[in-house]
Amino acid sequence: MLRTFHLIDAAALSTVALLVAACSDSNAPTAPTGQFRSEMITCQVAVRAGTLTCAASQPQPAPQAHGAPGMSFNLIVGGQGALVRLASTGTSYNSVSQVLSSSVTVENLIAQSMNTADGTTPDAGGIKVFFHSGPTATGGSGTVTVANSDGTGTFTGANQEYFLYSDGAVLPSGESTSSRQWQFSVPTTVTTFAFQVFVTTRLPVEASAIVALGLSRTPSALTILPGATGTTTVNLTRTNFTDPVTLSLGGASAGITGSFAPAAPTGTSSTLTLSVDGAVEPGVYFLTVDGTGTAGHRSTPLTLTVGQAGVGNVTVDFSSCPVTDRAVWLAAQNGAGAWTRIPGASDVYTFTIGNGGGGLAYVELGAADAASVTVQYMTPAEFTAGGTLVFCPPASGKTINGSVAGADATDISTISLGGRSATVLTFTSSNFQLTHVPSGAQDLVAYRHSFVGGAESAIIRRGQDVADNGSLETLDFGSEGFPPATATITVGGLAGTEDVSQGMFYQVNANCATASLYGGATVPTGDVTFTASGIPTLHQQVTDFHGLFVAASTTTASRFITQYFHTLGDRTVTLGATLPSPTITSLAGPYKRLQAAYTLPVDYQGSTGLQYSDGGNKSVSISATFGYLGGAAATLALPDFSGLTAWDNNWAPASASTGDWTVSGVSTFPGSACSENATFKTATVNGTF
């Protein structure tokens, strides 16, 4: 038989569209317990910017100083790198031919060879990466299609397109296929699109459980001063494999050494400490972390930057970020003074911001000449709140496994613990894994949602403190679950032409950790009321709060509101005002310098932003806090950096380019989501230039 790996591609979509499509296949197979992984990664492909912004699993606070959202489109990982890894390079969009292209490889993380029935003879079927759902436009309008598939077949449904790999060749464990160019026909009116892929191939031994090992590191890049040390966590993603993995450091130059603790882990992580001798020259060093065990040999890259330090009252730190999310150029503005380029030291930048506030600007580069320019304006108190502004805080916490029962093939279950969540699509697997769960006792919340109108169910377990790499007792929505409470919600301020959707979060424990119940439930056009579901009072503690989320959008504008309350009952939530269309002008300069002038409604006087991108792979993001602006009038524009050292005019959209712009407004975020009637509002308006 062919073994189908339920690995979901990261180049994907809004959660709701993906899940509805996934559950629409009546012939979806039922995966054998313990042999498949289906951790979902839900992301949006920004066509012109060439970026991938992952959908949040919980409401986000008002924007603070942080790295540009998203991750490089040059890395696509399915199933958390557990069984295979899809990686792409050279992603680009041609607005003339309206084709988006990317060269994609498949890496085999399984202990067995792929595309062979006996371990030696290639199978005629090859390795197929097939489209389970999509591609579907999730931003803008238009139809996206696969332009160059190798054929169609019946996998989880009929007439599914696929790309063929390893045709006539065996893919050994730990190796990657040659690249295959994927092309999509994408109208210029589409700003984002999404799709879901699975992988199917022949294995020599298919009767027993799959053994696999994936290797990664967090962070994937380090910056260390000469004479200092730094650490990164080596993550081992195991599937039915518990043997030791011997770790080693490869590619290290003289004066650079590494030690692992433990050196041969049997668990899911090890700490690598890198030491840099005082005589090592500043620069970039490309290393590898190698792992060898009975599941095979794996290798993952690690970039080390050796640099030098600076002074000032503001420090921003990119050192924990992936290389593609690090600043290659950074400048600061003190008050209304001139912009000054700030040299980095080990990807850490220090500068001075006075009482009048100031600005921070930085550039991140991607593949195929992609670039993003970010400018942020804040008060000195906002710049220095909490000390160093760490752009990519290293992830930490426990890995916890589990499974669900009492869920039908048409159900989706969400399991949340300590603010971390996992999704279970019953038609693929009943198993789940939670990662980076905080230590200590946490409240678990699980919710089963039906796509066909079936009964829904919830589970709450208080004070769960499972050991790292341990397992929860099976969550049985039948015997342990209880029916949710319901209430009628009235939405105030709706316009008749808006599309409306709603979802519910749940905040628990003294740390007000977020649990996801359901999301993206659509409201019939024209309706101003809907039924929301949540946790009955009988199962609540006084520290528990619901978080109701409502979104209303047209093709040119969107409004969002999240409101928190303890008891679920009938209520009215009123959307904020429509954000006014700004006056958009193009300022003089050697690159496209858009300026947006507008007045912020009182609903959105927390922060505001202007984002725009060209028809290729250049994007700009400008934001300012209300404290910095000092009033409702906002004028945001990209400064002229052309006179600063090391600035490259090609980083910004070209002067003659055209593309899309978006202006956003954000309310102040409540001090705590766990307070009665705390409300958070946002709005956007968009257009073209």
Side-chain angles (χ1 to χ4, degrees):
M1 70 176 196
L2 287 179
R3 178 60 55 85
T4 299
F5 303 104
H6 298 273
L7 302 169
I8 299 173
D9 187 22
L13 55 167
S14 74
T15 305
V16 179
L18 173 61
L19 299 183
V20 170
C23 286
S24 65
D25 293 319
S26 60
N27 296 322
T30 301
T33 301
Q35 295 198 22
F36 294 89
R37 304 178 67 104
S38 58
E39 296 96 342
M40 181 170 292
I41 302 173
T42 304
C43 298
Q44 180 173 303
V45 180
V47 177
R48 295 174 180 84
T51 59
L52 201 75
T53 303
C54 291
S57 61
Q58 59 190 60
Q60 299 297 309
Q64 302 294 322
H66 54 72
M71 63 183 74
S72 169
F73 193 28
N74 293 326
L75 179 63
I76 305 173
V77 178
Q80 302 285 16
L83 303 183
V84 300
R85 180 176 287 114
L86 305 180
S88 72
T89 57
T91 304
S92 63
Y93 178 67
N94 187 318
S95 59
V96 177
S97 64
Q98 299 185 16
V99 172
L100 184 140
S101 302
S102 184
S103 295
V104 183
T105 60
V106 179
E107 182 182 359
N108 178 11
L109 301 180
I110 300 173
Q112 301 183 54
S113 294
M114 287 184 175
N115 194 38
T116 177
D118 58 11
T120 303
T121 307
D123 186 75
I127 297 172
K128 295 184 179 72
V129 181
F130 67 88
F131 286 76
H132 175 71
S133 66
T136 304
T138 57
S141 61
T143 301
V144 181
T145 59
V146 180
N148 67 331
S149 68
D150 291 312
T152 61
T154 299
F155 303 100
T156 57
N159 298 318
Q160 293 174 307
E161 294 183 283
Y162 65 83
F163 287 108
L164 177 65
Y165 289 84
S166 287
D167 186 17
V170 174
L171 181 62
S173 172
E175 295 191 12
S176 297
T177 66
S178 58
S179 64
R180 172 76 171 83
Q181 188 175 71
W182 294 14
Q183 294 183 344
F184 300 88
S185 296
V186 185
T188 56
T189 52
V190 173
T191 57
T192 60
F193 72 92
F195 57 89
Q196 179 185 10
V197 298
F198 290 162
V199 178
T200 185
T201 190
R202 182 80 67 183
L203 297 180
V205 180
E206 296 182 332
S208 59
I210 294 172
V211 173
L213 171 66
L215 201 64
S216 62
R217 60 274 156 274
T218 307
S220 60
L222 290 174
T223 53
I224 305 174
L225 296 176
T229 62
T231 61
T232 184
T233 300
V234 180
N235 303 302
L236 297 88
T237 304
R238 298 169 175 268
T239 303
N240 301 316
F241 167 64
T242 59
D243 293 347
V245 176
T246 301
L247 300 175
S248 60
L249 183 67
S253 303
I256 300 174
T257 58
S259 61
F260 296 86
T266 56
T268 59
S269 66
S270 175
T271 299
L272 166 61
T273 300
L274 277 180
S275 299
V276 178
D277 187 86
V280 175
E281 290 292 325
V284 179
Y285 297 83
F286 299 100
L287 314 175
T288 61
V289 176
D290 302 309
T292 303
T294 56
H297 179 267
R298 303 288 182 265
S299 182
T300 185
L302 174 66
T303 301
L304 168 66
T305 301
V306 178
Q308 49 197 1
V311 294
N313 68 327
V314 178
T315 299
V316 295
D317 184 354
F318 289 86
S319 63
S320 297
C321 295
V323 173
T324 51
D325 292 339
R326 295 188 183 194
V328 297
W329 181 91
L330 186 143
Q333 181 188 42
N334 190 353
W339 284 90
T340 303
R341 192 219 172 179
I342 307 298
S346 300
D347 289 304
V348 177
Y349 302 82
T350 303
F351 51 92
T352 298
I353 295 293
N355 291 334
L360 164 69
Y362 57 90
V363 177
E364 297 167 302
L365 299 181
D369 200 35
S372 63
V373 182
T374 301
V375 183
Q376 298 173 326
Y377 296 99
M378 293 188 289
T379 67
E382 290 164 338
F383 267 119
T384 57
T388 298
L389 298 174
V390 180
F391 279 57
C392 306
S396 61
K398 300 182 292 186
T399 296
I400 297 174
N401 303 294
S403 62
V404 301
D408 295 333
T410 53
D411 290 338
I412 175 177
S413 304
T414 55
I415 299 90
S416 304
L417 184 64
R420 308 298 299 180
S421 295
T423 301
V424 173
L425 294 174
T426 315
F427 75 90
T428 63
S429 175
S430 296
N431 300 325
F432 64 86
Q433 185 177 78
L434 295 160
T435 58
H436 310 307
V437 176
S439 299
Q442 307 288 339
D443 289 351
L444 179 145
V445 180
Y447 194 89
R448 184 193 69 194
H449 177 72
S450 172
F451 285 111
V452 295
E456 305 195 349
S457 179
I459 295 172
I460 295 182
R461 292 180 184 174
R462 305 287 182 177
Q464 302 295 294
D465 192 0
V466 181
D468 187 21
N469 300 312
S471 297
L472 292 158
E473 293 184 10
T474 298
L475 297 163
D476 191 334
F477 287 104
S479 61
E480 186 180 1
F482 54 84
T486 59
T488 298
I489 307 299
T490 302
V491 184
L494 275 176
T497 57
E498 290 176 300
D499 294 324
V500 180
S501 63
Q502 57 98 2
M504 188 71 75
F505 301 98
Y506 199 62
Q507 314 294 134
V508 291
N509 214 333
N511 60 356
C512 196
T514 299
S516 178
L517 300 187
Y518 65 91
T522 57
V523 178
T525 302
D527 285 4
V528 297
T529 64
F530 61 85
T531 300
S533 301
I535 305 300
T537 303
L538 178 65
H539 295 274
Q540 289 192 281
Q541 292 187 352
V542 293
T543 53
D544 293 355
F545 282 82
H546 290 87
L548 174 67
F549 175 79
V550 180
S553 62
T554 65
T555 56
T556 58
S558 298
R559 292 180 292 164
F560 310 87
I561 182 173
T562 302
Q563 191 168 89
Y564 299 91
F565 45 85
H566 177 68
T567 302
L568 178 61
D570 296 350
R571 66 171 47 229
T572 297
V573 295
T574 302
L575 293 162
T578 300
L579 201 63
S581 293
T583 299
I584 301 291
T585 54
S586 186
L587 304 180
Y591 47 83
K592 180 67 72 175
R593 297 178 57 219
L594 284 192
Q595 174 178 280
Y598 50 98
T599 300
L600 285 169
V602 67
D603 294 308
Y604 312 116
Q605 294 180 357
S607 64
T608 186
L610 163 66
Q611 296 81 35
Y612 63 94
S613 62
D614 63 9
N617 54 6
K618 304 294 193 297
S619 63
V620 173
S621 175
I622 308 164
S623 64
T625 63
F626 192 75
Y628 172 86
L629 294 173
T635 300
L636 301 182
L638 181 61
D640 186 352
F641 297 124
S642 59
L644 298 186
T645 303
W647 168 263
D648 186 340
N649 291 332
N650 293 317
W651 287 337
S655 297
S657 64
T658 59
D660 302 319
W661 58 261
T662 299
V663 166
S664 59
V666 182
S667 71
T668 56
F669 194 76
S672 171
C674 290
S675 55
E676 193 68 24
N677 293 320
T679 302
F680 178 62
K681 299 179 180 180
T682 63
T684 65
V685 61
N686 57 273
T688 59
F689 63 89

